[in-house]
Amino acid sequence: MESDLGEDDLGGKGWDPGRLSSTQSGSLGNLEDELNRSQPRLGLLDGDKELDAKQELIDDKEFDIPQVDTPPTLESILNETDDEDETFIPEDPVLLNVETIDTHSCDTSSLASSDSGDRAHKRKKRLPDAFSRHGSVMRHSLLKGVSSQIVSAADKVDAGLPTAIAVSNLIAVGTSHGLALIFDTNQALRLCLGSTAVGAQYGAVSALSINNDCSRLLCGFAKGQITMWDLAGGKLLRSITDAHPPGTAILHIKFTDDPTLAICNDSGGSVFELTFKRVMGVRTCESRCLFSGSKGEVCCIEPLHTKAEMRDHPITQYSLLAMASLTKILVIGLKPSLKVWMTFPYGRMDPSSVPLLAWHFVILQGALNPMLAFCRGDVVHFLLVKRDESGAIHINKQKQLHLHYDLINFTWINARTVALLDSAEKLHVIDRQTQEELETLEISDVQLVYNSSHFKSLATGGNVSQALALVGEKACYQSISSYGGQIFYLGTKSVHTMMLRNWRERVDHLLKQDCYNEALALAWSFHEGKAKAVVGLSGDPKKRKSVVADKIIEILLQYTDKALRKCPEQGKIQVMEQHFQDTVPVMVDYCLLLQRTDILFSQMYDKLSENCVAKGVFLECLEPYLLRDQLPGLTAHVMKDLLLHFQDRSMMENMEACIVHMDITSLDIQQIVQMCWEHRLYDAMIYVYNSGTNDFISPMEKLFKAISAPISSGKSLTDEQVVMGNKLLVYISSSLAGRAYPLGDIPEDLVPLVKNQVFDFLVRLHTPEAPHDEEVYPYIRTLLHFDTREFLNVLALTFEDFTNDKQAVEHQQRIVDILLKVMVENSDFTPSQVGCLFTFLARQLAKPDNTLFVNRVLFDQVLEFLCSPDDDSRHSERQQVLLELLQAGGIVQFEENRLIHLAERAQFYQICEFMYERKHQYDKIIDCYMQDPMRKQEVFNYIHNILSIPGYSPEEKQATWGKAMRHMEELITLSPSKGADLVCTHFSEQLCEIIAKLQDQLLLYRFLRSLLDPSRDGAQVPPELLQSQPHITELFIDLMCQYDPAEVNPLLQILEHYRLEETIQIAQKHNHYETLAYLLEKKGDIEGAFKVMLKRLQDRLSPLIRDSVDSVDHEQATSIKDVEEALAETISLCERTSHTLDQQQREALWFPLLEVMMSPQKLLCSSNSQLYSASLKSLTMDVLNSMAPYIALPSILQRILQDPVYGRGKLGEIQGLVLGMLDTFNYERTLLETTTNLLNQDLHWSLCNLKASITRALVPKQDFCCICLQQYKRRQEASDEIIVFSCGHLYHSLCLAGKDCKVDAGGQSQWICYRCNSSSKGRSGHQSGTDVKRSRTSSLVQVRGASIHSSREETGKKAISESVLDPQQLQAFDQFCRLYKGTSRLALLSELCRSQSPEKSRGYNPFHGGPTSSSVFQNENFQLHLAPPPIVDD
């Protein structure tokens, strides 16, 4: 087996078996330690032994001839005698140890097509993202010595083309003419086994295997023979011809760990165990069949090989063998007796995919056990094999590897890395644990040899199954071999090898391509132990980091030289800056990651300083690290250059941000301070004073001096001065709290000193060099004028940190005394500022451990000052200040009754509320809200909260309720809607009383409108109350008829609790005809409602019949519009009620309406005015058109002809009406005939096509079941039937039943196609009839009963008689319907019928609105398809 341990750099020299083997005798525990290392190694030697075992290897780039002293010719080797005395001894006995290899691993990944180096004309194709992360993981080499002699053998001795390869400490290559060529470690041809004459008899070499000690070679041939050769002397030891059935090719021949035991697999799919014995000098071979091809062809076998030092592993005693057939894999134990330990079916897969197997020992959960990887298609399964204490073997499934390509080879490179070859001959290197793809390489140029001819057994007549021949199309088992972490690929004219690159080689490979960023990233991943497929690094983290760090420093220095060397010499400065911005930050990042600032600020900085642009970019790169305090060891030279650079570039903010993170003790302090002050870098200036000289007072003096002059003179401050003042406050606060400014902390030994210095500074009586008129305590006075509130907050925080020692108490009391002296005795402070002071004092006095003393008289003076009724200025400000004072604890300083008196006098209603709430007089707070013009609207929420929220006593709630009831009229006047919400929630039982109190009728209407409108949000009146007292709703309707008559009718359709008779009287009182008609119609008095509407129409028509020759056009238009409106409402009434009346009652409605419209025309005809004749005739036509669906046409014509207006003359006036009626009749008759013809044609066409479809013969697409992939003739049981669908898919009935493909439809069970319905696999076995009808993939089914004794030619069909359409017939019918690509004709006609029916379309319930059903004509995709039905060929 291959090991996952490290290897050294091969230098591109190709195959090196000497350095892949080992002589280790370590324990399993030591092996686990080695396997747990993050880097894969190919030998188990320690560092010294590995170096001793190295050999000088041949560089395939530099030679074309095998490097041997006297290379033998092919002819001399072929003419050698079998009993030659001189035997072949390998150059190094160590090479005979094969512990670290997996010689017979059949599943290997493909290799790259490039040469052994990275030549430009043969670059490997890689995925860009994987290449950028991992570099070139694999190194590809061409074994030129082996390749050239394979070609030479084919030309000179007719050896034929290569067909198979096996690799151990030797390389064995089989040819198509039966020869086996043996090469040593130097690629020199040592042996040529066999002859072309034997090859003509046995056929091509189809399989090779070398035993563990490299002493024996097994050759399998295309015609079934097996030969065993002695690799030491080249003698033929055995020629086996009867180990398996004749006429089948040897697909695999494998030695096991037992040198007397081998396994072979032939093209018949059988597997045989070969036992070699030597009795009395006679060599024999016994064969035992392990698996018969009649039970399923095996096409891949893989015995478990273990290294010599692992022979004591408990799993080795079983001699495990994995076999892969076309449908499943098996793991069996050959010892102590034959036993099957596991079978595992593949599931669904492509029949042409190649089964693959590979063993490897891995460490999981601290235990070393073999893992079997197997796949067929695009999913790799991993099985972990364990042995328990009882001796039983357990096989556990591990995480699967899902791919997007089909595999033809799988190879373990080590326990963590695998190589996969897909069907497109692309090699994928995968990290097994993370399943990340590390690299992808093209190896199509190798011209890989495939074993298709042996799987098809062409040499013996091709007597194999079609399934095995299909798998053989992509089989390359014998063309790929792995040994010691190297993968060998056999091409038609060459042999190639692929192996993991050493970590240095991977980095250097990127450097050769000028990919410095990628090389650094890869090296850093090695440094952090996060890289994949690592080779050549120590497992000790300290050693690993040390080695890789040296390499990274080397790369960085090379990168620096390259960046300076390739800098654009000409062009814009921006181009040069961009060049260095792409390179210099990377160098700085990695130097700081490695914490090598000595290299960064010495060698690298000195080199970059040669270019001014590079130097500037370098200095700017340091800023983010400085800001994060990640740049220790910054030299004074670099620090000075950095500040000068920022100053020259006018990047002052950046410079200030950097200064406060520097150790500037080594620089000129005065120079930096002067520079900071000139450029207004106040934070930097303070930091330099503090950290450079431990001076905390000088910065304060400089800032005070800048802001005190304008404040003392009463001038407004500039923005810059405001910034300085704010910084001064923060600086004082930080200093008094023991924190450094702008960041960090003051050293603990300096904190008491700094606090005392700052305190003494603030309480100074005068400034240095003060003028004679300077007021006392200038510093405190200046800060109070600048920002009173913030300065007092600073003092409050300071007081929190003070300890209760004597000195601290004295300091606090002195500060308070100075504040009172400065502010109370001075009149230039505003009420807000004074209030802030006393609020601050109140908070301090309210503390439990208070030690301050303040005269209570001062608080009384402040109260009088704030509550002065004669001062109307800053009313809200004074009230807010007093409120804050009270909330801060100042209430204890005042007499409460006096405070309330002063607050009421000053109209401080919030203060009154505060005091009343303390006394729980919540009812009085209502007066505060009502009197406060700014908060009147909040009274509703307050009342609601008091009455709703728990926590108040019943007496308090009752007092509040009574107060609100007494002020209810005032509340409703303030907001009718909010008043209605309040009444509904808390005063619904007093509704009548409240209504009686409201004398203003308009206010009462607004209140009732908010109260009773169902569409408004908020609380609603209980329906029981309105039902018991309908006069409330009737009062609301009465008021609405007065103030908003247009809204009466719509609202009546929503309101419920009113009496019809009383409401009708209200409508009659206000002459509201529309409302009256609605109520009468609701009452059921259709005739009364019609009379009201008819009366309203007559009233609208009466002005028109007057001769108004002098009327204005606008008045005429208004009158006609009123008539149209009244007529439309009357017609609507008639249409709503006509469908419930008989013919006589309908005529009693429509004819009076027609008479009302025709009578004015008589009067107009007799007068001189013809102003409205045309309009009235048009309206009359509207009446006639509306009544046509309800009144018989002869009755209408008779009534018209009897009218004197239309009755006389030549009927010219009614010609249009009569012709219109006739056209309507002709249209309806034509429509009926057309729909009948269309329905008949559609029905006939659909039935014809349906009949043709269900009687058409079914043709399967394949002759095997789509589920089990077995031929349809292979049945599991006698009752198994064959089911064929119209889609062409074929199944066994038992397979289909196992996939829940039987559904119930119409009380009968029906089959559905599994493959076509694969998207619905998750549904249950039973579907409703509707679901079955909707199935689009159901097919017509023919079932053939296949009994055990029936012959292959039987084609009898099982008929299924049904009385209803099965799902397949329904699907066919649906397909014909979908040919229309639109709404069916039947749906269109149904919609037309529904829309044209006078009985249904005119039906309208006035209480529930009109019909809301959707129409197919309203669909935006609706189109008429006027083409005839499509013709479908049978």
Side-chain angles (χ1 to χ4, degrees):
M1 292 297 297
E2 304 166 18
S3 172
D4 59 341
L5 304 183
E7 80 171 310
D8 285 333
D9 189 2
L10 294 181
K13 295 183 180 180
W15 176 55
D16 183 9
R19 50 180 305 289
L20 303 178
S21 62
S22 68
T23 57
Q24 176 175 358
S25 59
S27 65
L28 179 60
N30 294 331
L31 179 60
E32 292 176 2
D33 294 338
E34 293 293 327
L35 290 176
N36 279 322
R37 292 182 182 179
S38 60
Q39 71 281 3
R41 302 186 60 194
L42 301 179
L44 300 178
L45 294 169
D46 55 28
D48 297 334
K49 292 182 179 179
E50 196 171 63
L51 292 175
D52 294 337
K54 285 188 177 180
Q55 298 179 353
E56 288 297 323
L57 301 181
I58 300 169
D59 190 342
D60 294 319
K61 294 183 179 178
E62 301 176 3
F63 78 96
D64 293 321
I65 302 174
Q67 186 179 1
V68 293
D69 296 334
T70 55
T73 62
L74 288 173
E75 290 78 8
S76 65
I77 295 177
L78 293 174
N79 293 327
E80 289 178 353
T81 60
D82 292 338
D83 56 350
E84 185 176 356
D85 296 334
E86 183 180 359
T87 60
F88 167 65
I89 303 297
E91 295 180 359
D92 189 351
V94 176
L95 302 184
L96 299 178
N97 191 339
V98 292
E99 306 155 345
T100 62
I101 65 169
D102 182 10
T103 307
H104 311 293
S105 177
C106 293
D107 16 86
T108 51
S109 59
S110 87
L111 80 136
S113 59
S114 62
D115 204 0
S116 62
D118 297 305
R119 299 183 178 178
H121 67 282
K122 284 190 177 182
R123 287 287 174 90
K124 293 183 278 282
K125 297 181 180 179
R126 302 175 183 86
L127 293 178
D129 54 349
F131 179 73
S132 63
R133 290 195 304 273
H134 307 288
S136 177
V137 178
M138 303 294 290
R139 182 175 73 245
H140 168 240
S141 302
L142 170 66
L143 300 184
K144 291 186 177 180
V146 176
S147 303
S148 61
Q149 294 182 80
I150 289 175
V151 175
S152 177
D155 294 339
K156 295 180 179 179
V157 297
D158 193 26
L161 297 176
T163 57
I165 187 172
V167 182
S168 180
N169 288 337
L170 302 171
I171 295 180
V173 177
T175 68
S176 60
H177 289 176
L179 300 181
L181 307 179
I182 311 300
F183 300 88
D184 64 4
T185 59
N186 293 322
Q187 305 186 40
L189 180 63
R190 292 301 188 187
L191 295 171
C192 181
L193 306 178
S195 64
T196 55
V198 175
Q201 178 183 357
Y202 289 178
V205 175
S206 58
L208 292 171
S209 179
I210 303 175
N211 66 352
N212 285 347
D213 59 3
C214 291
S215 61
R216 298 289 184 265
L217 172 70
L218 281 176
C219 297
F221 292 89
K223 293 185 179 180
Q225 294 83 357
I226 301 173
T227 60
M228 177 184 285
W229 298 86
D230 178 14
L231 291 178
K235 295 182 179 180
L236 177 64
L237 302 180
R238 289 179 176 85
S239 181
I240 306 169
T241 59
D242 57 352
H244 66 103
T248 56
I250 298 296
L251 300 182
H252 301 278
I253 185 76
K254 302 278 187 179
F255 270 113
T256 65
D257 286 341
D258 184 353
T260 65
L261 191 65
I263 308 296
C264 76
N265 174 210
D266 61 17
S267 60
S270 299
V271 180
F272 294 88
E273 177 187 71
L274 306 180
T275 304
F276 305 114
K277 296 182 179 180
R278 186 173 182 177
V279 181
M280 303 295 291
V282 179
R283 291 183 173 91
T284 62
C285 175
E286 296 179 0
S287 174
R288 179 175 63 157
C289 182
L290 301 178
F291 189 90
S292 174
S294 61
K295 300 179 180 179
E297 296 95 336
V298 171
C299 55
C300 179
I301 60 174
E302 189 63 40
L304 173 63
H305 289 276
T306 55
K307 296 177 283 294
E309 74 277 3
M310 297 174 57
R311 295 294 165 81
D312 294 334
H313 195 285
I315 208 73
T316 58
Q317 60 181 311
Y318 296 97
S319 187
L320 295 181
L321 172 68
M323 302 184 296
S325 71
L326 297 179
T327 58
K328 58 188 175 182
I329 69 164
L330 298 93
V331 177
I332 66 175
L334 302 178
K335 297 179 180 179
S337 59
L338 186 64
K339 183 176 182 180
V340 178
W341 288 107
M342 186 206 71
T343 60
F344 192 96
Y346 295 128
R348 299 184 62 189
M349 77 297 177
D350 185 359
S352 65
S353 58
V354 182
L356 303 173
L357 295 170
W359 290 97
H360 202 287
F361 277 86
V362 298
I363 293 180
L364 286 179
Q365 299 177 352
L368 182 66
N369 287 295
M371 178 176 286
L372 175 65
F374 76 91
C375 67
R376 187 179 185 188
D378 58 357
V379 179
V380 181
H381 303 265
F382 296 95
L383 302 178
L384 186 66
V385 181
K386 295 182 179 181
R387 176 185 179 272
D388 60 14
E389 297 178 354
S390 64
I393 290 180
H394 300 278
I395 300 178
N396 302 322
K397 292 183 64 177
Q398 305 295 312
K399 184 178 180 181
Q400 297 177 351
L401 175 60
H402 293 269
L403 309 169
H404 58 276
Y405 41 80
D406 288 337
L407 295 184
I408 60 174
N409 187 265
F410 180 101
T411 300
W412 291 91
I413 301 177
N414 54 48
R416 296 175 179 83
T417 312
V418 297
L420 312 178
L421 181 64
D422 64 18
S423 56
E425 294 193 1
K426 288 184 179 180
L427 179 67
H428 305 268
V429 184
I430 306 291
D431 183 76
R432 182 184 64 84
Q433 293 177 338
T434 62
Q435 299 191 359
E436 180 181 2
E437 187 167 291
L438 308 181
E439 188 176 15
T440 300
L441 304 170
E442 287 275 3
I443 68 162
S444 55
D445 292 344
V446 173
Q447 298 181 352
L448 195 66
V449 173
Y450 287 88
N451 313 133
S452 305
S453 60
H454 309 317
F455 274 77
K456 296 178 181 178
S457 195
L458 299 181
T460 59
N463 53 342
V464 297
S465 67
Q466 294 182 4
L468 188 63
L470 185 62
V471 170
E473 294 290 343
K474 300 178 183 179
C476 55
Y477 296 108
Q478 304 303 323
S479 307
I480 303 174
S481 180
S482 64
Y483 177 79
Q486 299 183 77
I487 311 172
F488 296 83
Y489 299 89
L490 181 64
T492 55
K493 296 182 180 180
S494 58
V495 177
H496 300 252
T497 180
M498 191 78 70
M499 66 184 301
L500 290 175
R501 293 181 184 269
N502 180 276
W503 73 273
R504 290 182 181 274
E505 186 181 354
R506 287 168 63 180
V507 174
D508 292 337
H509 176 74
L510 291 171
L511 294 177
K512 290 177 183 178
Q513 303 184 39
D514 286 340
C515 299
Y516 281 86
N517 292 346
E518 291 79 3
L520 286 169
L522 180 60
W524 181 252
S525 67
F526 290 137
H527 183 274
E528 295 299 299
K530 297 180 179 179
K532 306 292 191 304
V534 184
V535 175
L537 275 178
S538 171
D540 185 0
K542 292 184 178 180
K543 294 181 180 179
R544 180 191 73 232
K545 290 188 175 183
S546 176
V547 172
V548 178
D550 293 340
K551 181 65 176 178
I552 294 177
I553 294 299
E554 177 187 342
I555 298 172
L556 289 173
L557 295 176
Q558 295 178 10
Y559 199 9
T560 305
D561 295 335
K562 171 184 173 293
L564 292 172
R565 188 172 59 253
K566 293 191 175 183
C567 174
E569 297 180 357
Q570 298 178 352
K572 297 181 179 180
I573 190 67
Q574 290 84 355
V575 178
M576 298 179 64
E577 287 184 352
Q578 185 61 45
H579 168 73
F580 286 111
Q581 286 173 358
D582 293 339
T583 56
V584 174
V586 179
M587 307 174 194
V588 177
D589 286 342
Y590 283 102
C591 276
L592 294 177
L593 285 173
L594 294 173
Q595 298 180 357
R596 294 298 301 272
T597 54
D598 55 331
I599 300 293
L600 179 65
F601 296 135
S602 58
Q603 300 180 44
M604 291 184 62
Y605 183 59
D606 292 342
K607 290 183 178 182
L608 293 174
S609 296
E610 299 173 0
N611 187 298
C612 60
V613 178
K615 180 180 179 181
V617 173
F618 176 86
L619 293 173
E620 292 178 11
C621 289
L622 302 180
E623 179 185 358
Y625 296 98
L626 272 172
L627 299 182
R628 295 194 296 267
D629 295 323
Q630 297 175 351
L631 198 59
L634 186 63
T635 63
H637 175 59
V638 177
M639 206 181 305
K640 182 178 179 180
D641 290 349
L642 177 62
L643 297 180
L644 291 176
H645 172 75
F646 282 140
Q647 187 175 5
D648 294 340
R649 298 289 295 270
S650 298
M651 302 170 63
M652 308 314 298
E653 293 183 359
N654 304 72
M655 182 170 69
E656 182 178 33
C658 291
I659 287 176
V660 299
H661 290 271
M662 290 180 179
D663 181 9
I664 45 80
T665 54
S666 59
L667 301 180
D668 187 343
I669 302 299
Q670 293 301 325
Q671 183 181 1
I672 296 178
V673 168
Q674 184 64 26
M675 180 186 64
C676 292
W677 184 258
E678 291 176 356
H679 295 91
R680 301 174 181 178
L681 308 181
Y682 306 116
D683 290 351
M685 181 197 68
I686 296 172
Y687 173 80
V688 172
Y689 269 119
N690 295 167
S691 62
T693 63
N694 287 336
D695 184 357
F696 291 85
I697 302 303
S698 296
M700 295 185 187
E701 292 178 342
K702 294 179 72 69
L703 294 175
F704 264 114
K705 189 175 181 180
I707 67 171
S708 59
I711 290 178
S712 60
S713 62
K715 297 179 180 179
S716 59
L717 298 179
T718 63
D719 293 341
E720 184 66 25
Q721 290 169 339
V722 172
V723 171
M724 295 169 66
N726 288 329
K727 289 184 180 296
L728 178 59
L729 282 173
V730 178
Y731 176 44
I732 293 174
S733 176
S734 300
S735 300
L736 291 175
R739 295 188 300 272
Y741 181 84
L743 48 86
D745 293 309
I746 300 174
E748 293 184 5
D749 56 334
L750 295 178
V751 171
L753 177 62
V754 172
K755 287 185 177 181
N756 290 331
Q757 288 179 354
V758 175
F759 177 78
D760 293 339
F761 170 77
L762 290 176
V763 299
R764 286 180 184 177
L765 195 61
H766 288 287
T767 61
E769 302 178 359
H772 66 281
D773 58 345
E774 182 184 67
E775 297 184 279
V776 295
Y777 306 115
Y779 297 122
I780 290 181
R781 189 181 302 275
T782 300
L783 291 173
L784 287 173
H785 277 290
F786 175 74
D787 194 331
T788 306
R789 188 182 298 274
E790 291 303 323
F791 177 56
L792 293 175
N793 287 339
V794 170
L795 294 179
L797 293 174
T798 305
F799 287 179
E800 293 289 342
D801 295 335
F802 274 0
T803 57
N804 286 328
D805 56 12
K806 183 176 180 181
Q807 184 181 6
V809 172
E810 291 176 355
H811 284 173
Q812 294 183 47
Q813 186 63 51
R814 187 175 179 189
I815 287 285
V816 170
D817 293 340
I818 293 174
L819 291 173
L820 291 173
K821 181 176 180 61
V822 170
M823 296 193 71
V824 177
E825 297 179 4
N826 200 319
S827 61
D828 56 353
F829 288 96
T830 63
S832 177
Q833 292 174 318
V834 176
C836 288
L837 171 61
F838 280 89
T839 301
F840 163 75
L841 294 176
R843 289 196 178 103
Q844 300 304 317
L845 294 174
K847 291 181 179 179
D849 55 350
N850 172 54
T851 58
L852 295 176
F853 171 76
V854 179
N855 194 343
R856 187 167 181 174
V857 176
L858 294 176
F859 280 92
D860 292 336
Q861 292 176 0
V862 171
L863 180 60
E864 291 285 351
F865 168 71
L866 294 176
C867 296
S868 175
D870 299 330
D871 186 7
D872 293 334
S873 63
R874 301 185 178 183
H875 180 275
S876 60
E877 179 184 347
R878 290 186 288 114
Q879 179 177 222
Q880 186 63 31
V881 168
L882 182 56
L883 183 61
E884 292 180 2
L885 176 59
L886 297 177
Q887 291 173 345
I891 186 66
V892 300
Q893 307 295 333
F894 305 106
E895 199 275 318
E896 294 187 0
N897 292 330
R898 181 170 179 269
L899 177 60
I900 294 175
H901 173 70
L902 292 175
E904 291 177 348
R905 187 180 65 176
Q907 297 181 355
F908 287 175
Y909 298 112
Q910 294 185 43
I911 306 299
C912 295
E913 178 186 350
F914 179 81
M915 297 304 299
Y916 288 143
E917 191 166 0
R918 284 175 55 88
K919 295 184 175 184
H920 302 285
Q921 296 177 351
Y922 302 107
D923 55 330
K924 292 186 178 181
I925 297 178
I926 296 177
D927 294 328
C928 296
Y929 277 103
M930 299 296 293
Q931 295 174 16
D932 191 347
M934 303 300 295
R935 301 192 303 154
K936 276 188 174 183
Q937 295 293 333
E938 299 177 16
V939 67
F940 298 98
N941 289 335
Y942 176 77
I943 296 174
H944 174 72
N945 291 337
I946 295 295
L947 298 178
S948 301
I949 298 177
Y952 300 98
S953 65
E955 294 79 11
E956 293 169 350
K957 291 188 176 184
Q958 183 61 36
T960 304
W961 187 90
K963 189 77 169 184
M965 189 64 186
R966 291 192 296 272
H967 287 76
M968 187 57 67
E969 184 174 3
E970 186 177 356
L971 291 172
I972 294 174
T973 304
L974 183 62
S975 176
S977 59
K978 293 183 179 180
D981 288 336
L982 193 62
V983 169
C984 291
T985 307
H986 303 287
F987 302 91
S988 57
E989 296 181 358
Q990 287 74 28
L991 180 58
C992 295
E993 181 182 350
I994 294 173
I995 292 175
K997 288 183 178 181
L998 300 178
Q999 301 300 323
D1000 187 349
Q1001 295 297 306
L1002 181 58
L1003 178 62
L1004 178 60
Y1005 166 67
R1006 292 176 180 173
F1007 171 69
L1008 292 176
R1009 179 65 184 264
S1010 301
L1011 191 73
L1012 300 179
D1013 190 355
S1015 61
R1016 75 174 182 89
D1017 296 331
Q1020 301 287 339
V1021 181
E1024 299 81 9
L1025 177 62
L1026 295 178
Q1027 188 173 5
S1028 62
Q1029 300 182 11
H1031 66 277
I1032 298 177
T1033 307
E1034 295 162 6
L1035 174 61
F1036 170 55
I1037 297 173
D1038 192 358
L1039 293 173
M1040 184 180 291
C1041 290
Q1042 299 179 38
Y1043 298 106
D1044 200 357
E1047 297 293 327
V1048 175
N1049 209 41
L1051 201 59
L1052 277 178
Q1053 300 180 21
I1054 304 176
L1055 294 177
E1056 298 179 358
H1057 306 293
Y1058 59 88
R1059 296 167 292 186
L1060 280 177
E1061 293 297 337
E1062 286 73 4
T1063 311
I1064 290 173
Q1065 294 177 8
I1066 293 173
Q1068 291 174 346
K1069 180 178 69 173
H1070 294 284
N1071 294 326
H1072 205 287
Y1073 295 110
E1074 186 178 359
T1075 301
L1076 183 59
Y1078 170 78
L1079 294 171
L1080 290 173
E1081 182 182 357
K1082 186 176 181 180
K1083 181 182 177 182
D1085 187 1
I1086 305 299
E1087 182 179 358
F1090 176 72
K1091 289 180 179 179
V1092 171
M1093 296 302 296
L1094 198 62
K1095 178 66 168 57
R1096 182 188 177 205
L1097 178 61
Q1098 290 174 342
D1099 292 343
R1100 298 285 178 90
L1101 285 171
S1102 58
L1104 300 181
I1105 63 177
R1106 305 192 191 100
D1107 294 330
S1108 51
V1109 180
D1110 298 333
S1111 60
V1112 186
D1113 293 341
H1114 175 70
E1115 295 178 356
Q1116 297 174 8
T1118 302
S1119 300
I1120 290 295
K1121 186 177 180 180
D1122 293 341
V1123 171
E1124 291 177 352
E1125 180 183 353
L1127 179 61
E1129 294 174 358
T1130 308
I1131 291 176
S1132 177
L1133 173 64
C1134 295
E1135 289 177 340
R1136 287 197 305 268
T1137 57
S1138 292
H1139 68 281
T1140 61
L1141 305 176
D1142 55 23
Q1143 185 66 27
Q1144 183 178 0
Q1145 292 173 332
R1146 293 177 185 176
E1147 292 180 357
L1149 289 181
W1150 287 102
F1151 285 148
L1153 176 59
L1154 181 61
E1155 178 63 27
V1156 168
M1157 291 304 301
M1158 296 173 64
S1159 58
Q1161 300 179 47
K1162 307 173 187 176
L1163 301 176
L1164 289 175
C1165 292
S1166 62
S1167 65
N1168 297 326
S1169 177
Q1170 300 292 332
L1171 295 176
Y1172 308 109
S1173 178
S1175 298
L1176 291 178
K1177 286 185 178 181
S1178 176
L1179 294 176
T1180 305
M1181 293 296 294
D1182 292 341
V1183 175
L1184 292 173
N1185 290 333
S1186 299
M1187 64 188 298
Y1190 306 101
I1191 306 299
L1193 185 61
S1195 301
I1196 299 175
L1197 291 175
Q1198 181 179 4
R1199 179 58 63 94
I1200 293 174
L1201 293 177
Q1202 291 175 356
D1203 190 273
V1205 178
Y1206 298 103
R1208 60 178 180 268
K1210 298 181 180 180
L1211 298 180
E1213 298 290 344
I1214 61 171
Q1215 180 180 2
L1217 175 62
V1218 174
L1219 292 177
M1221 293 178 177
L1222 294 176
D1223 288 343
T1224 301
F1225 169 75
N1226 290 331
Y1227 167 75
E1228 293 177 349
R1229 184 180 63 179
T1230 304
L1231 181 63
L1232 179 61
E1233 294 175 353
T1234 304
T1235 53
T1236 303
N1237 292 334
L1238 289 176
L1239 288 174
N1240 291 337
Q1241 292 175 7
D1242 283 1
L1243 182 61
H1244 175 72
W1245 175 78
S1246 300
L1247 291 177
C1248 287
N1249 284 281
L1250 183 60
K1251 179 181 178 183
S1253 297
I1254 62 177
T1255 56
R1256 187 180 295 122
L1258 303 182
V1259 181
K1261 294 180 179 179
Q1262 64 282 322
D1263 61 348
F1264 56 85
C1265 173
C1266 292
I1267 295 178
C1268 67
L1269 302 179
Q1270 298 292 333
Q1271 287 190 340
Y1272 72 93
K1273 302 170 187 176
R1274 294 191 176 183
R1275 301 170 306 279
Q1276 300 180 17
E1277 299 178 3
S1279 60
D1280 202 358
E1281 298 175 340
I1282 297 171
I1283 299 177
V1284 183
F1285 290 87
S1286 60
C1287 55
H1289 296 139
L1290 179 146
Y1291 303 91
H1292 293 123
S1293 62
L1294 294 181
C1295 296
L1296 205 58
K1299 296 296 183 178
D1300 292 335
C1301 292
K1302 202 167 189 178
V1303 299
D1304 293 333
Q1308 298 183 2
S1309 297
Q1310 302 293 339
W1311 294 106
I1312 59 175
C1313 178
Y1314 169 71
R1315 177 167 292 186
C1316 295
N1317 288 271
S1318 59
S1319 60
S1320 305
K1321 289 190 295 183
R1323 66 178 175 231
S1324 61
H1326 297 280
Q1327 289 180 327
S1328 65
T1330 305
D1331 293 336
V1332 175
K1333 292 179 181 179
R1334 293 177 181 174
S1335 175
R1336 298 301 186 193
T1337 56
S1338 302
S1339 315
L1340 303 177
V1341 183
Q1342 290 182 356
V1343 181
R1344 180 171 70 87
S1347 64
I1348 298 179
H1349 305 288
S1350 60
S1351 65
R1352 294 185 177 182
E1353 290 77 15
E1354 281 184 336
T1355 57
K1357 300 181 180 178
K1358 181 179 179 180
I1360 301 178
S1361 60
E1362 297 179 337
S1363 60
V1364 296
L1365 292 180
D1366 61 22
Q1368 293 74 36
Q1369 294 169 334
L1370 291 172
Q1371 180 211 12
F1373 183 73
D1374 289 342
Q1375 289 175 348
F1376 296 136
C1377 293
R1378 288 200 305 273
L1379 291 176
Y1380 288 113
K1381 302 184 187 302
T1383 309
S1384 66
R1385 293 172 176 173
L1386 183 60
L1388 292 176
L1389 294 175
S1390 301
E1391 180 67 25
L1392 288 171
C1393 178
R1394 183 165 57 251
S1395 62
Q1396 294 296 327
S1397 173
E1399 299 296 322
K1400 296 181 179 180
S1401 65
R1402 300 301 178 181
Y1404 174 76
N1405 190 335
F1407 312 115
H1408 298 88
T1412 59
S1413 59
S1414 60
S1415 169
V1416 297
F1417 305 112
Q1418 297 174 356
N1419 189 335
E1420 60 181 4
N1421 299 322
F1422 169 73
Q1423 293 181 355
L1424 282 176
H1425 299 274
L1426 302 180
I1431 299 176
V1432 179
D1433 297 333
D1434 292 336

